[in-house]
Amino acid sequence: MAAACAVTAATVLLPLAQASPDGGRPAVVRAPDAVPAAPQTPWTLTDTCPDPEASLRPSGVDGPTIERIRKAGKLVAGVDQNSFKWGYRNPVDGRLDGFDIALVKAIAKDILGDEDAVIYRAIPTSQRIPALQDGRVDVVVRTMTINCKRLEDVAFSTAYFEAGQQVLAPKGSPITGYDASLKGRRICTAAGSTAEAALKGQSYGAVPVLVPNQLDCLVRLQLGEVDGIITDNALAAGQAAQDPSVRLVGAPFTKEFYGVAMNKEAADLVRRVNKVLEGYRAGGDGSPWMQAYTAHLKPVLPGVAGPPAPKYRD
């Protein structure tokens, strides 16, 4: 475990970065000094809006947001660089890699004709929505679950992946899942995540521990500072692959869909991203989606047959 901890800690301590489209070494962006406060409005895992995964129908028509991105010559994408197989720094060349990064490149290719015309901004989980509202990024592609609460603040594409919340614990731990075995245990989640919302709704007596980024939870677990983690099973599978001394326990207790998040005023960009996703899903086993899944996720999350079907509301 010590070796795994060292490897993971090194990943976490990599500077938050902005990667340049020309492939040069990234410039440093400072990480936040403390975990931002959680939203004051209570979160809920029970969606009350009809079909939260339903998005605007695809369109290739240029609008003001697309024109602004074209004029800038770059797509600014909020991503993770610490989630193994999703958005992480490849140790071979130091470049951002993963399933989410592949989707960002597809979006940039469609809008700008160049998959490398991207400025990547690494943002913590709790800053995904503020980064969009403040205009720091055009899109967030960062294992972000679509739900009614978030739809009050941002817009989403159609779903591009299905996941579920699950518990990650050390092998041999008395924790058996999202149940009474959490009582008195220190359980880590990322601030602003749906896992935090789950613990607020039903803690089972757990003691929540909040961190800015999900991978920080794995480091804390390895150091013995927490007893378990709640996160999306898609993310947890990557963490378990990094450290074989931990495992997923119990069954997923939610069904969640990841979407590309955008500013609520950027309807033209939402439609354009949905157009990209239509092509990204097309082609069955030979689709770009399946190629990305096979390259990045299949080794740690086998058995996924394909992407979720899109839903539209207009």
Side-chain angles (χ1 to χ4, degrees), residues 16 78-84 86-89 96-97 100-101 121-125 141-143 213-215 235:
L16 293 179
V79 299
D80 198 354
Q81 67 168 10
N82 292 324
S83 291
F84 188 50
W86 287 92
Y88 70 107
R89 292 208 169 273
L96 283 169
D97 201 359
D100 280 345
I101 305 303
R121 289 188 175 157
I123 52 175
T125 305
V141 188
R142 195 188 182 285
T143 59
N213 288 299
Q214 189 56 51
L215 193 62
L235 288 173

Side-chain angles (χ1 to χ4, degrees), residues 84-86 88 90 97-103 105 161 280 285 287-302 304:
F84 188 50
K85 299 299 184 180
W86 287 92
Y88 70 107
N90 192 312
D97 201 359
F99 189 84
D100 280 345
I101 305 303
L103 179 52
K105 290 180 176 180
F161 201 88
Y280 204 65
D285 290 342
S287 68
W289 190 99
M290 284 302 297
Q291 291 175 22
Y293 165 74
T294 301
H296 301 292
L297 298 180
K298 190 173 183 178
V300 299
L301 196 67
V304 177

